[in-house]
């Protein structure tokens, strides 16, 4: 392996390590966002169940 090839491999390795770190960070952020949206959906779903009944919905 020539010195040029070694240098290219080192740069590629550094790039790939940085890319992996960025993707792991993105995954963590997306997981947190998913949890937040799930909680928001549950909160909104719970709120709609607690609202006054619709008088046009029947039940007579």
């Amino acid at each position: 392996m020539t010195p040029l090839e070694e240098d290219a491999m080192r740069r590629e390795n550094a790039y790939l390590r940085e890319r992996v770190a960025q993707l792991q960070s993105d995954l963590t952020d997306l997981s947190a966002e998913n949890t937040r949206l799930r909680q928001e959906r549950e909160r909104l779903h719970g709120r709609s169940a607690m609202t006054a009944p619709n008088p046009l919905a029947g039940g007579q």
Side-chain angles (χ1 to χ4, degrees):
M1 184 176 285
T2 68
L4 273 167
E5 291 172 328
E6 287 179 16
D7 188 46
M9 298 225 6
R10 280 191 197 98
R11 280 183 305 198
E12 183 177 11
N13 189 29
Y15 166 78
L16 291 173
R17 287 178 184 268
E18 185 177 325
R19 187 70 182 122
V20 165
Q22 181 63 50
L23 290 170
Q24 287 174 332
S25 174
D26 291 348
L27 181 62
T28 301
D29 292 345
L30 287 171
S31 179
E33 181 71 4
N34 185 31
T35 300
R36 186 190 69 76
L37 290 171
R38 185 181 305 118
Q39 290 171 347
E40 180 72 8
R41 185 193 69 205
E42 290 171 359
R43 183 184 67 80
L44 291 173
H45 180 71
R47 178 178 288 173
S48 67
M50 298 167 78
T51 59
N54 183 351
L56 301 177
Q60 292 180 357

